[in-house]
Amino acid sequence: MFKFFFKRLLVLVPVFFGVTLVAFGFIRALPGDPIEVLAGERGVSPERHAELMAQLGLDKPLWQQYLSYVGDVLQGDLGTSLITNRPVAEEFFELFPATAELAICAMLFAIIIGIPAGIVAAVKRGTLVDQGIMSLSLAGYSMPIFWWGLLLIILFSNTLNLTPVSGRLSFLFEVEPVTGFMLIDSLLSDEKGAFKSALHHLVLPTIVLGTIPLAVIARQTRSAMLEVLSEDYVRTAKAKGLSPLRVISVHALRNAMITVVTVIGLQVAVLLAGAILTETIFSWPGIGKWIIFSVFSRDYYAVQGGLLLIAACVMVVNLIVDLLYGLINPRIVH
Amino acid sequence: MALLEITNLTVEFATAHGSLRAVDRVSLSLDAGDIVAIVGESGSGKSVAMLALMGLLPWTATITADRMSFDGKDLLTMNPKQRRAIIGKDISMIFQEPMTSLNPCFNVEYQISEVLAQHFGGKRRSYKPRVIELLKKVGIPAPETRLKAYPHQLSGGMSQRVMIAMMIACEPKLLIADEPTTALDVTIQAQILELLVELQKANGMALVLITHDMAVVAETADRVVVQYAGQQVEQRSVIELFNNPRHPYTEALLSALPEYAKEKTLNAIPGVVPGQLDRPVGCLFNPRCEYAQDLCRQQPPQKSEGVLCHYPLPLKAGSNSHTEVIL
């Protein structure tokens, strides 16, 4: 198991360098630079522009800039934001819990509904239930996130007045940030009703962000289950006299999970990308909003650092998925 | 009272081209300790009939029978829960492909102890000594070291032994073996058959052996059922059948054995078992039968003297050429 883990870890090294290169190149490929953006419509004289660029170290050849950037990163320094003048890592980790909270809730939502829905569709294959679940999941998969978010806001916030439109907590409450996760912090605080408010604020963003992963997980679970249910060992399980529930949830699902877990891992990347849109729709103060702002202001270090850290999250999740894989499927580790 | 009584079992599958009759009015009666072989080519409905008995057919299958009872209990009127209490305990079945019939995600101990816990209650772990005993019984060397093995770490023969251990765990009264040796090496085939017969004798259980290997039939069974295109064409004791086959299909099957080939080519039966769309009128075997006459092509035959044929082959007196070659 340790060897397996170590091998997986080694694979991440080239990925890490790839990500730094892409992040570094992508933001510089955009027209404009931080000074021009800061100066805005007034503009800035070429001499002053050159002077400021030199001050920021952006006048050197690209390869030099890249090497010094990677050197800093390897020492744990992601650089300083050109706009706020604060360390990028500090800004990131201040906002990250908000995104993580949203992403975790969305993923739980997708898994808790998606897997049972997929199982039911597979077991009831060809029936109205199956067709219903699959049509809904196709609709969910095809729904543009921003439109889906707006529809839900119109229905639940405007018409039914059930949920708030934006933010993480009502203005009535003030909660000390301990973990950065609002659900936990609001529970820890003495403020009555803060937890309920935090929960209310989470509902719509969770649904919006979780819809696509939910649809994908449901479809994948269905097809994996269909394949597994026709396997000989499922017949063996039935021949043992086991109850249908046990045959499906132990013998079939365990095997189907091998593919489903992979899909869940891949969906984490989709989720973080979707978080950017969702956070914008619901004014959710997370890294999605922050990174959009950084791109618009050509805050080179913030964008590079943000992308690198997001990529690191995806890599960690995929590493966990690989390990889970080994736990579910004995053929891999042994 | 017989242990197992099946009368006129019919299984039909709903398909895109209408219904397909895979098993056609099959009857079988078994006493405790009997060994019966069901033989026939692929597609003759051997497995389907037994899967119907086990209740393991997919939902597209429609099962009808005049009578289907086991140990005095009526299997036709039983609800699924009552049937599950019998399946795996009193009637169990081993399958053709041992490598794919074991669940790849669970180890040997889990899969065997699970069936014990299911039928006798208690914790799975408490059955560990029993699992070791069973593995020893089916001839697995050093069973303690195999408990944590996963199916992919076992050979085909080893997997089939584990399957057998799993299916005899509850000491069933009837064991159905569906071509248990087809997927195995020839040397292992003999060992597995020997093991099955040994267990059958030791536990006094009835054994149904589904096979298309006549040599296996001759070595193990007391009684033989010959099935063709879902119909039972002949049913009799193994010595009688080999001495004096009465149905032309049985005769053709026997003469297709390599032992009987007088020239360089084997005596194959021309053509294939009819499918759903090419069922002949009259006797289902008539297009492939060398004795077929006009009546065979017009009217389906009725069973007489245990043979489903208009013109059963005559009873021979004193000849036992077939058995001599085989036994």
Side-chain angles (χ1 to χ4, degrees):
Chain A
M1 195 73 189
F2 180 76
K3 205 175 139 197
F4 176 73
F5 179 75
F6 190 72
K7 263 193 198 160
R8 293 282 147 184
L9 218 52
L10 271 184
V11 175
L12 296 186
V13 175
V15 176
F16 167 80
F17 282 103
V19 171
T20 55
L21 194 64
V22 169
F24 181 89
F26 144 75
I27 188 67
R28 278 168 181 75
L30 289 182
D33 59 48
I35 308 299
E36 275 174 37
V37 174
L38 269 179
E41 282 181 19
R42 271 184 306 142
V44 63
S45 70
E47 298 79 38
R48 181 75 183 134
H49 182 258
E51 194 187 318
L52 286 169
M53 286 297 266
Q55 233 175 55
L56 297 174
L58 297 176
D59 56 335
K60 292 188 201 124
L62 277 183
W63 63 270
Q64 262 182 28
Q65 285 184 45
Y66 178 69
L67 285 185
S68 84
Y69 171 63
V70 170
D72 285 347
V73 168
L74 287 178
Q75 291 170 50
D77 179 13
L78 290 177
T80 309
S81 162
L82 300 174
I83 309 296
T84 60
N85 227 357
R86 290 173 61 206
V88 170
E90 196 183 303
E91 287 207 317
F92 182 89
F93 285 111
E94 212 172 272
L95 298 167
F96 181 66
T99 301
E101 184 175 41
L102 178 58
I104 290 170
C105 287
M107 197 41 119
L108 286 179
F109 166 75
I111 291 172
I112 290 171
I113 298 182
I115 290 181
I119 295 173
V120 170
V123 173
K124 305 261 173 211
R125 162 196 41 188
T127 62
L128 269 181
V129 180
D130 176 24
Q131 281 159 7
I133 290 175
M134 282 307 103
S135 313
L136 278 179
S137 104
L138 185 64
Y141 186 68
S142 335
M143 190 89 77
I145 283 192
F146 64 91
W147 188 60
W148 179 222
L150 292 179
L151 279 184
L152 287 178
I153 289 176
I154 291 171
L155 178 66
F156 287 101
S157 306
N158 280 19
T159 315
L160 298 174
N161 231 340
L162 285 175
T163 55
V165 181
S166 67
R168 297 179 77 191
L169 195 65
S170 160
F171 293 114
L172 298 171
F173 305 105
E174 199 163 327
V175 168
E176 185 89 14
V178 184
T179 57
F181 288 83
M182 195 56 86
L183 285 179
I184 300 172
D185 288 350
S186 62
L187 268 183
L188 293 175
S189 77
D190 304 329
E191 304 248 9
K192 274 207 166 141
F195 178 72
K196 209 177 151 197
S197 166
L199 208 58
H200 269 170
H201 280 82
L202 249 173
V203 173
L204 285 192
T206 296
I207 294 175
V208 169
L209 186 55
T211 298
I212 290 179
L214 166 66
V216 174
I217 290 172
R219 295 186 81 84
Q220 286 291 339
T221 305
R222 178 182 182 269
S223 67
M225 280 300 279
L226 278 184
E227 199 180 314
V228 166
L229 283 174
S230 61
E231 292 283 353
D232 287 349
Y233 51 77
V234 169
R235 185 181 59 189
T236 305
K238 286 181 190 157
K240 284 162 134 182
L242 304 177
S243 67
L245 186 71
R246 197 174 160 81
V247 172
I248 290 164
S249 65
V250 177
H251 284 264
L253 187 61
R254 177 91 183 253
N255 285 280
M257 281 318 279
I258 294 170
T259 30
V260 175
V261 162
T262 319
V263 171
I264 292 175
L266 293 174
Q267 286 304 307
V268 171
V270 175
L271 209 61
L272 287 173
I276 294 176
L277 274 171
T278 312
E279 286 177 4
T280 313
I281 300 168
F282 291 97
S283 306
W284 193 265
I287 45 163
K289 266 187 80 186
W290 171 71
I291 218 153
I292 292 227
F293 174 75
S294 305
V295 171
F296 282 139
S297 54
R298 304 290 183 272
D299 191 344
Y300 286 0
Y301 293 110
V303 172
Q304 285 166 188
L307 289 183
L308 188 60
L309 288 171
I310 292 175
C313 291
V314 175
M315 286 190 262
V316 168
V317 169
N318 277 306
L319 187 66
I320 294 172
V321 166
D322 279 343
L323 295 181
L324 274 180
Y325 217 63
L327 284 181
I328 299 174
N329 188 352
R331 276 164 296 192
I332 289 182
V333 179
H334 291 273
Chain B
M1 185 181 54
L3 178 70
L4 175 73
E5 285 235 47
I6 301 175
T7 320
N8 288 335
L9 170 70
T10 297
V11 181
E12 288 183 325
F13 286 98
T15 69
H17 309 284
S19 96
L20 163 72
R21 186 169 279 206
V23 176
D24 193 0
R25 283 165 291 144
V26 160
S27 301
L28 186 67
S29 167
L30 266 181
D31 286 317
D34 278 359
I35 305 185
V36 172
I38 305 180
V39 293
E41 285 164 277
S42 304
S44 55
K46 308 175 300 258
S47 305
V48 175
M50 289 303 114
L51 287 171
L53 168 65
M54 293 285 287
L56 292 178
L57 288 174
W59 57 275
T60 47
T62 315
I63 300 164
T64 51
D66 292 344
R67 187 176 160 77
M68 187 151 79
S69 74
F70 176 79
D71 212 10
K73 291 170 215 140
D74 186 3
L75 294 171
L76 289 169
T77 54
M78 209 172 252
N79 68 32
K81 200 176 170 193
Q82 289 168 324
R83 182 182 281 233
R84 284 201 300 274
I86 297 179
I87 299 303
K89 182 168 178 279
D90 294 328
I91 312 178
S92 51
M93 185 161 180
I94 54 179
F95 303 101
Q96 188 171 353
E97 296 280 347
M99 307 287 266
T100 55
S101 292
L102 292 171
N103 193 322
C105 284
F106 297 99
N107 63 38
V108 167
E109 184 188 350
Y110 185 101
Q111 300 197 43
I112 299 178
S113 57
E114 186 186 30
V115 67
L116 288 161
Q118 175 72 28
H119 293 291
F120 299 129
K123 286 225 157 50
R124 257 194 308 103
R125 275 164 220 264
S126 64
Y127 289 104
K128 190 173 174 177
R130 172 75 177 140
V131 173
I132 296 176
E133 188 192 319
L134 281 163
L135 290 177
K136 210 175 275 168
K137 215 173 187 175
V138 296
I140 289 182
E144 293 84 358
T145 61
R146 296 288 181 170
L147 287 177
K148 298 291 171 220
Y150 286 93
H152 70 275
Q153 295 164 315
L154 303 172
S155 66
M158 219 44 121
S159 299
Q160 195 60 297
R161 284 174 199 269
V162 170
M163 264 309 277
I164 294 172
M166 190 156 84
M167 289 312 179
I168 61 158
C170 300
E171 307 202 322
K173 294 174 182 146
L174 167 64
L175 180 66
I176 302 164
D178 185 357
E179 306 202 14
T181 57
T182 306
L184 304 175
D185 286 345
V186 179
T187 48
I188 309 294
Q189 284 184 2
Q191 290 178 15
I192 295 286
L193 277 176
E194 222 164 81
L195 171 66
L196 282 174
V197 175
E198 215 170 83
L199 291 168
Q200 183 271 334
K201 293 221 163 73
N203 296 0
M205 63 185 177
L207 179 65
V208 172
L209 194 63
I210 300 173
T211 181
H212 51 235
D213 188 342
M214 276 295 186
V216 168
V217 175
E219 277 165 33
T220 48
D222 311 323
R223 198 142 52 88
V224 191
V225 175
V226 182
Q227 226 165 291
Y228 181 77
Q231 296 177 329
Q232 274 175 351
V233 296
E234 188 165 2
Q235 180 171 167
R236 55 189 41 227
S237 84
V238 72
I239 297 184
E240 270 176 36
L241 184 108
F242 276 85
N243 277 342
N244 187 186
R246 302 289 312 279
H247 195 283
Y249 179 60
T250 315
E251 191 196 50
L253 272 185
L254 288 173
S255 59
L257 289 171
E259 287 84 344
Y260 295 132
K262 295 192 178 77
E263 291 145 37
K264 275 198 168 170
T265 49
L266 297 175
N267 300 315
I269 311 174
V272 290
V273 181
Q276 181 186 3
L277 301 172
D278 54 356
R279 290 212 144 204
V281 185
C283 173
L284 291 180
F285 187 56
N286 87 67
R288 304 172 71 187
C289 180
E290 55 176 314
Y291 308 106
Q293 302 186 21
D294 287 345
L295 182 62
C296 304
R297 294 182 196 99
Q298 288 153 8
Q299 255 181 46
Q302 295 297 317
K303 204 173 248 180
S304 67
E305 300 167 48
V307 185
L308 190 71
C309 186
H310 286 297
Y311 307 104
L313 300 174
L315 273 169
K316 279 185 239 169
S319 148
N320 57 354
S321 60
H322 286 301
T323 13
E324 268 167 12
V325 179
I326 295 280
L327 294 175

